DNA sequence: ACCGAATACCTATCGAGATAGTTATTCGCG
DNA sequence: CGCGAATAACTATCTCGATAGGTATTCGGT
């Protein structure tokens, strides 16, 4: 359900080709909800056949080739509104890094520290990407957002933008929390005598 | 991979029937890595046929019925150690609540606040459960942990326990972060004039 | 003894997602 | 013009997970 909601939400900013959509899932919306092209194209076609999206061929190049541009339909907008009314279906927890940490007693010397450092790196990267998205929103450099604002009355602009910033702040907060947790883990390893000493801490 | 790692890790505390394992995935380890019985039983059988687990029939009742008790093998322990050496394979982000929040402009009046309040409730519950697990570890009331400690030298007890507490602290921190985020979201809604006023805040 | 709950274990089906490809056309640079 | 990269779109296969069941036996309370 959430891929389809993400697709509707994205296309509510205006028409896009499948490829444009795929690009957005590799960049902006993809930081909140990722999907690969192999999932996106078939889903677009399904949603089209269900009436949530309409499509039209758009010229590509100067030799008669076309690409397909999708637009959200009224039914699609209805579905988008309905989505916001549905209770969130929380999935049961599956956190691989926390699972691993619970059993660090099985790790070879140094392996736990390596895992925690990699965890910190991963979430620093996630954090940086989320901050980039926030900057793009606040600086109005996101073409998708610009198009969305252009299609809405000016008194909605702050509202629309702030919800997006808020969502990415959730990603930043998540990353910060995971980094802090892993740093506490490194300190725990040090207390337990499992680090070679401050010099090995980077 | 992570279900099988979770199963190996759990069974490293000592032999268990499939049903015991399932019970643990509904309670303790299940807060970090959940799995339903329909996944667990077949996986136990697969791991048994691969030599990671051994099994034996154990009497059940007084009329000759038996149940199956699984134990980790040397190969299983090897696999557990190897898991700790493998780099974590981080999955791409798919956060339904953050996705939804990014598009709150589509929500009916009051719906966004309802979502955020439900989010807070969900993570308060998650938090409480993680704290219970921490208490069970610190109070030595977890039978699985007691058995694990009994099978290890006393100088390893603090180490083993603290890694588990550390993992659950990751869950607590996650929950805290999500609660704080959602509370900021309610304040945002208030700033945007989307809440009816302080009296409607609960 | 009966019966509901718990223990013990299982199947089927479907959706979601990962991954490793693939084909065709256009674009833009050397 | 040629060619590699980008655009544009697609398939196949497999794994993992969700969900809705199911059967059989024992336990324990009435």
């Amino acid at each position: 359900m959430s891929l389809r909601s993400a697709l509707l939400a994205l296309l509510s900013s205006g028409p896009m080709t499948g490829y444009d959509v795929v690009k957005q899932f590799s960049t902006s919306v993809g930081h909140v909800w990722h999907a690969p092209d192999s999932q996106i194209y078939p889903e677009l076609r399904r949603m089209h056949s269900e009436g949530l999206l309409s499509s039209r061929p758009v010229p590509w190049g100067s030799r008669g080739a076309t690409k397909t541009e999708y637009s959200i339909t009224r039914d699609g907008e209805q579905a988008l509104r309905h989505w916001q009314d549905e209770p969130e279906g929380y999935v049961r927890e599956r956190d691989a890094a926390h699972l691993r940490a619970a059993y660090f007693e099985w790790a070879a010397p140094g392996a736990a520290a390596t895992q925690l450092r990699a965890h910190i790196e991963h979430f620093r990267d996630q954090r940086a990407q989320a901050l980039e998205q926030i900057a793009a929103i606040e600086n109005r450099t996101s073409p998708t957002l610009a198009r969305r604002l252009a299609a809405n009355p000016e008194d909605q602009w702050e509202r629309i933008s702030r919800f997006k910033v808020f969502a990415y702040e959730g990603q930043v907060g998540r990353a910060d929390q995971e980094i802090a947790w892993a740093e506490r883990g490194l300190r725990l390893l040090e207390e337990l005598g499992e680090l070679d000493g401050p010099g090995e801490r980077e």
Short mmCIF file of all heavy atoms in Angstrom, two decimals, chain D residues 3-17:
data_model
loop_
_atom_site.label_atom_id
_atom_site.label_comp_id
_atom_site.label_asym_id
_atom_site.label_seq_id
_atom_site.Cartn_x
_atom_site.Cartn_y
_atom_site.Cartn_z
P DC D 3 31.89 2.95 -33.15
OP1 DC D 3 33.11 2.14 -33.27
OP2 DC D 3 30.56 2.42 -33.57
"O5'" DC D 3 31.76 3.47 -31.66
"C5'" DC D 3 32.66 4.46 -31.17
"C4'" DC D 3 32.20 4.91 -29.80
"O4'" DC D 3 31.23 5.98 -29.94
"C3'" DC D 3 31.49 3.81 -29.02
"O3'" DC D 3 31.91 3.89 -27.67
"C2'" DC D 3 30.02 4.16 -29.15
"C1'" DC D 3 30.07 5.68 -29.20
N1 DC D 3 28.91 6.31 -29.86
C2 DC D 3 28.52 7.59 -29.45
O2 DC D 3 29.15 8.14 -28.55
N3 DC D 3 27.45 8.17 -30.03
C4 DC D 3 26.79 7.53 -31.01
N4 DC D 3 25.75 8.14 -31.57
C5 DC D 3 27.19 6.23 -31.44
C6 DC D 3 28.24 5.67 -30.85
P DG D 4 31.88 2.59 -26.76
OP1 DG D 4 33.21 1.97 -26.77
OP2 DG D 4 30.67 1.80 -27.08
"O5'" DG D 4 31.67 3.27 -25.33
"C5'" DG D 4 32.41 4.43 -25.00
"C4'" DG D 4 31.56 5.34 -24.13
"O4'" DG D 4 30.51 5.96 -24.94
"C3'" DG D 4 30.84 4.62 -23.00
"O3'" DG D 4 30.90 5.45 -21.86
"C2'" DG D 4 29.41 4.45 -23.51
"C1'" DG D 4 29.25 5.72 -24.35
N9 DG D 4 28.27 5.63 -25.42
C8 DG D 4 28.06 4.59 -26.29
N7 DG D 4 27.11 4.82 -27.15
C5 DG D 4 26.68 6.10 -26.84
C6 DG D 4 25.65 6.89 -27.45
O6 DG D 4 24.93 6.62 -28.39
N1 DG D 4 25.53 8.14 -26.82
C2 DG D 4 26.30 8.55 -25.76
N2 DG D 4 26.03 9.77 -25.31
N3 DG D 4 27.24 7.83 -25.19
C4 DG D 4 27.37 6.61 -25.78
P DA D 5 30.31 4.96 -20.46
OP1 DA D 5 31.35 5.23 -19.46
OP2 DA D 5 29.70 3.63 -20.61
"O5'" DA D 5 29.14 6.03 -20.24
"C5'" DA D 5 29.40 7.40 -20.42
"C4'" DA D 5 28.09 8.18 -20.31
"O4'" DA D 5 27.30 7.99 -21.51
"C3'" DA D 5 27.21 7.72 -19.15
"O3'" DA D 5 26.70 8.89 -18.53
"C2'" DA D 5 26.13 6.88 -19.80
"C1'" DA D 5 26.00 7.55 -21.16
N9 DA D 5 25.54 6.67 -22.23
C8 DA D 5 25.97 5.40 -22.51
N7 DA D 5 25.38 4.85 -23.54
C5 DA D 5 24.50 5.84 -23.99
C6 DA D 5 23.59 5.88 -25.04
N6 DA D 5 23.39 4.89 -25.92
N1 DA D 5 22.87 7.02 -25.21
C2 DA D 5 23.07 8.03 -24.36
N3 DA D 5 23.91 8.11 -23.31
C4 DA D 5 24.59 6.97 -23.19
P DA D 6 25.75 8.77 -17.23
OP1 DA D 6 26.17 9.85 -16.33
OP2 DA D 6 25.71 7.36 -16.79
"O5'" DA D 6 24.32 9.13 -17.83
"C5'" DA D 6 24.17 10.34 -18.55
"C4'" DA D 6 22.80 10.37 -19.18
"O4'" DA D 6 22.74 9.39 -20.24
"C3'" DA D 6 21.66 10.03 -18.21
"O3'" DA D 6 20.70 11.07 -18.34
"C2'" DA D 6 21.14 8.69 -18.70
"C1'" DA D 6 21.49 8.71 -20.17
N9 DA D 6 21.68 7.40 -20.77
C8 DA D 6 22.52 6.39 -20.35
N7 DA D 6 22.46 5.32 -21.11
C5 DA D 6 21.55 5.64 -22.09
C6 DA D 6 21.07 4.92 -23.20
N6 DA D 6 21.45 3.69 -23.51
N1 DA D 6 20.15 5.54 -24.00
C2 DA D 6 19.76 6.78 -23.70
N3 DA D 6 20.16 7.56 -22.68
C4 DA D 6 21.05 6.91 -21.91
P DT D 7 19.39 11.06 -17.45
OP1 DT D 7 19.06 12.46 -17.18
OP2 DT D 7 19.54 10.08 -16.36
"O5'" DT D 7 18.32 10.49 -18.47
"C5'" DT D 7 18.09 11.20 -19.68
"C4'" DT D 7 17.17 10.41 -20.57
"O4'" DT D 7 17.79 9.15 -20.92
"C3'" DT D 7 15.81 10.06 -19.95
"O3'" DT D 7 14.84 10.41 -20.92
"C2'" DT D 7 15.89 8.56 -19.75
"C1'" DT D 7 16.79 8.16 -20.91
N1 DT D 7 17.47 6.85 -20.79
C2 DT D 7 17.25 5.91 -21.78
O2 DT D 7 16.51 6.11 -22.74
N3 DT D 7 17.93 4.74 -21.63
C4 DT D 7 18.79 4.41 -20.59
O4 DT D 7 19.34 3.33 -20.57
C5 DT D 7 18.96 5.45 -19.59
C7 DT D 7 19.86 5.19 -18.43
C6 DT D 7 18.31 6.60 -19.74
P DA D 8 13.29 10.53 -20.44
OP1 DA D 8 12.60 11.33 -21.47
OP2 DA D 8 13.24 10.92 -19.03
"O5'" DA D 8 12.79 9.02 -20.57
"C5'" DA D 8 12.49 8.50 -21.85
"C4'" DA D 8 12.13 7.04 -21.75
"O4'" DA D 8 13.33 6.26 -21.61
"C3'" DA D 8 11.26 6.63 -20.56
"O3'" DA D 8 9.93 6.36 -21.02
"C2'" DA D 8 11.93 5.38 -20.01
"C1'" DA D 8 12.93 5.00 -21.09
N9 DA D 8 14.08 4.27 -20.61
C8 DA D 8 14.93 4.61 -19.59
N7 DA D 8 15.87 3.73 -19.36
C5 DA D 8 15.62 2.73 -20.30
C6 DA D 8 16.26 1.51 -20.58
N6 DA D 8 17.33 1.07 -19.92
N1 DA D 8 15.76 0.73 -21.59
C2 DA D 8 14.69 1.18 -22.24
N3 DA D 8 13.99 2.31 -22.08
C4 DA D 8 14.52 3.05 -21.07
P DA D 9 8.78 5.93 -19.98
OP1 DA D 9 7.51 6.19 -20.68
OP2 DA D 9 9.03 6.50 -18.64
"O5'" DA D 9 9.01 4.35 -19.90
"C5'" DA D 9 8.94 3.60 -21.12
"C4'" DA D 9 9.43 2.21 -20.90
"O4'" DA D 9 10.83 2.20 -20.50
"C3'" DA D 9 8.74 1.39 -19.82
"O3'" DA D 9 7.78 0.53 -20.42
"C2'" DA D 9 9.85 0.58 -19.18
"C1'" DA D 9 11.07 0.90 -20.02
N9 DA D 9 12.27 0.84 -19.23
C8 DA D 9 12.72 1.71 -18.27
N7 DA D 9 13.83 1.33 -17.71
C5 DA D 9 14.15 0.13 -18.34
C6 DA D 9 15.21 -0.79 -18.18
N6 DA D 9 16.21 -0.63 -17.31
N1 DA D 9 15.22 -1.89 -18.96
C2 DA D 9 14.23 -2.06 -19.84
N3 DA D 9 13.17 -1.27 -20.09
C4 DA D 9 13.20 -0.19 -19.29
P DC D 10 6.81 -0.32 -19.52
OP1 DC D 10 5.61 -0.58 -20.33
OP2 DC D 10 6.69 0.27 -18.18
"O5'" DC D 10 7.63 -1.68 -19.37
"C5'" DC D 10 8.04 -2.37 -20.56
"C4'" DC D 10 8.98 -3.49 -20.22
"O4'" DC D 10 10.21 -2.96 -19.68
"C3'" DC D 10 8.50 -4.46 -19.13
"O3'" DC D 10 7.83 -5.57 -19.71
"C2'" DC D 10 9.79 -4.92 -18.47
"C1'" DC D 10 10.85 -4.04 -19.05
N1 DC D 10 11.73 -3.52 -17.97
C2 DC D 10 12.86 -4.26 -17.63
O2 DC D 10 13.09 -5.31 -18.24
N3 DC D 10 13.66 -3.84 -16.63
C4 DC D 10 13.35 -2.71 -15.99
N4 DC D 10 14.18 -2.32 -15.01
C5 DC D 10 12.21 -1.93 -16.32
C6 DC D 10 11.42 -2.37 -17.31
P DT D 11 7.23 -6.71 -18.83
OP1 DT D 11 6.20 -7.38 -19.63
OP2 DT D 11 6.90 -6.15 -17.49
"O5'" DT D 11 8.46 -7.70 -18.61
"C5'" DT D 11 9.23 -8.13 -19.71
"C4'" DT D 11 10.14 -9.25 -19.26
"O4'" DT D 11 11.21 -8.71 -18.46
"C3'" DT D 11 9.42 -10.28 -18.39
"O3'" DT D 11 9.83 -11.57 -18.83
"C2'" DT D 11 9.91 -9.98 -16.98
"C1'" DT D 11 11.30 -9.40 -17.23
N1 DT D 11 11.74 -8.41 -16.21
C2 DT D 11 12.93 -8.61 -15.54
O2 DT D 11 13.66 -9.56 -15.74
N3 DT D 11 13.25 -7.63 -14.65
C4 DT D 11 12.52 -6.51 -14.34
O4 DT D 11 12.91 -5.71 -13.50
C5 DT D 11 11.27 -6.36 -15.08
C7 DT D 11 10.40 -5.18 -14.81
C6 DT D 11 10.95 -7.30 -15.96
P DA D 12 9.12 -12.86 -18.24
OP1 DA D 12 8.93 -13.79 -19.36
OP2 DA D 12 7.99 -12.44 -17.38
"O5'" DA D 12 10.27 -13.44 -17.29
"C5'" DA D 12 11.63 -13.37 -17.69
"C4'" DA D 12 12.48 -13.95 -16.59
"O4'" DA D 12 12.88 -12.89 -15.69
"C3'" DA D 12 11.76 -15.00 -15.75
"O3'" DA D 12 12.65 -16.08 -15.55
"C2'" DA D 12 11.43 -14.27 -14.44
"C1'" DA D 12 12.54 -13.23 -14.35
N9 DA D 12 12.17 -11.99 -13.68
C8 DA D 12 11.01 -11.29 -13.83
N7 DA D 12 10.97 -10.19 -13.09
C5 DA D 12 12.19 -10.18 -12.45
C6 DA D 12 12.76 -9.29 -11.53
N6 DA D 12 12.17 -8.18 -11.10
N1 DA D 12 14.00 -9.57 -11.07
C2 DA D 12 14.60 -10.67 -11.50
N3 DA D 12 14.17 -11.59 -12.36
C4 DA D 12 12.94 -11.29 -12.80
P DT D 13 12.08 -17.44 -14.92
OP1 DT D 13 12.66 -18.54 -15.71
OP2 DT D 13 10.62 -17.34 -14.70
"O5'" DT D 13 12.80 -17.42 -13.50
"C5'" DT D 13 14.14 -16.94 -13.40
"C4'" DT D 13 14.43 -16.67 -11.95
"O4'" DT D 13 14.02 -15.32 -11.60
"C3'" DT D 13 13.70 -17.61 -10.98
"O3'" DT D 13 14.67 -18.22 -10.16
"C2'" DT D 13 12.76 -16.70 -10.21
"C1'" DT D 13 13.48 -15.37 -10.30
N1 DT D 13 12.64 -14.16 -10.10
C2 DT D 13 13.15 -13.13 -9.35
O2 DT D 13 14.26 -13.16 -8.86
N3 DT D 13 12.33 -12.04 -9.21
C4 DT D 13 11.06 -11.90 -9.74
O4 DT D 13 10.41 -10.87 -9.54
C5 DT D 13 10.58 -13.01 -10.52
C7 DT D 13 9.21 -12.96 -11.11
C6 DT D 13 11.38 -14.07 -10.65
P DC D 14 14.27 -19.51 -9.30
OP1 DC D 14 15.19 -20.60 -9.73
OP2 DC D 14 12.81 -19.71 -9.30
"O5'" DC D 14 14.71 -19.05 -7.85
"C5'" DC D 14 15.82 -18.17 -7.71
"C4'" DC D 14 15.57 -17.25 -6.54
"O4'" DC D 14 14.64 -16.19 -6.93
"C3'" DC D 14 14.91 -17.95 -5.34
"O3'" DC D 14 15.86 -18.02 -4.29
"C2'" DC D 14 13.72 -17.07 -4.97
"C1'" DC D 14 13.95 -15.80 -5.77
N1 DC D 14 12.68 -15.14 -6.17
C2 DC D 14 12.46 -13.82 -5.76
O2 DC D 14 13.33 -13.26 -5.09
N3 DC D 14 11.29 -13.22 -6.10
C4 DC D 14 10.38 -13.88 -6.82
N4 DC D 14 9.25 -13.23 -7.12
C5 DC D 14 10.59 -15.21 -7.26
C6 DC D 14 11.74 -15.81 -6.92
P DT D 15 15.44 -18.77 -2.94
OP1 DT D 15 16.61 -19.57 -2.55
OP2 DT D 15 14.10 -19.39 -3.09
"O5'" DT D 15 15.30 -17.55 -1.93
"C5'" DT D 15 16.18 -16.45 -2.03
"C4'" DT D 15 15.68 -15.37 -1.11
"O4'" DT D 15 14.56 -14.68 -1.72
"C3'" DT D 15 15.20 -15.88 0.24
"O3'" DT D 15 15.74 -15.02 1.22
"C2'" DT D 15 13.67 -15.79 0.15
"C1'" DT D 15 13.50 -14.61 -0.80
N1 DT D 15 12.23 -14.61 -1.59
C2 DT D 15 11.46 -13.46 -1.61
O2 DT D 15 11.75 -12.46 -1.00
N3 DT D 15 10.33 -13.54 -2.39
C4 DT D 15 9.92 -14.63 -3.14
O4 DT D 15 8.89 -14.56 -3.80
C5 DT D 15 10.77 -15.78 -3.08
C7 DT D 15 10.40 -17.01 -3.84
C6 DT D 15 11.87 -15.73 -2.32
P DC D 16 15.61 -15.41 2.75
OP1 DC D 16 16.89 -15.00 3.38
OP2 DC D 16 15.08 -16.76 2.88
"O5'" DC D 16 14.51 -14.39 3.24
"C5'" DC D 16 14.62 -13.02 2.90
"C4'" DC D 16 13.34 -12.32 3.23
"O4'" DC D 16 12.34 -12.64 2.26
"C3'" DC D 16 12.76 -12.70 4.60
"O3'" DC D 16 12.59 -11.50 5.31
"C2'" DC D 16 11.42 -13.39 4.26
"C1'" DC D 16 11.09 -12.80 2.90
N1 DC D 16 10.25 -13.61 1.99
C2 DC D 16 9.12 -13.02 1.40
O2 DC D 16 8.85 -11.85 1.68
N3 DC D 16 8.36 -13.75 0.55
C4 DC D 16 8.70 -15.01 0.24
N4 DC D 16 7.93 -15.67 -0.61
C5 DC D 16 9.85 -15.62 0.84
C6 DC D 16 10.60 -14.90 1.69
P DG D 17 12.15 -11.51 6.84
OP1 DG D 17 12.74 -10.32 7.44
OP2 DG D 17 12.35 -12.85 7.40
"O5'" DG D 17 10.57 -11.26 6.71
"C5'" DG D 17 10.12 -10.12 6.00
"C4'" DG D 17 8.63 -10.20 5.83
"O4'" DG D 17 8.32 -11.18 4.83
"C3'" DG D 17 7.86 -10.59 7.09
"O3'" DG D 17 6.94 -9.55 7.33
"C2'" DG D 17 7.19 -11.91 6.72
"C1'" DG D 17 7.10 -11.80 5.20
N9 DG D 17 7.01 -13.04 4.47
C8 DG D 17 7.87 -14.11 4.51
N7 DG D 17 7.52 -15.08 3.70
C5 DG D 17 6.36 -14.62 3.08
C6 DG D 17 5.52 -15.23 2.11
O6 DG D 17 5.65 -16.33 1.58
N1 DG D 17 4.44 -14.41 1.76
C2 DG D 17 4.21 -13.16 2.29
N2 DG D 17 3.14 -12.51 1.85
N3 DG D 17 4.99 -12.58 3.20
C4 DG D 17 6.03 -13.36 3.55
#
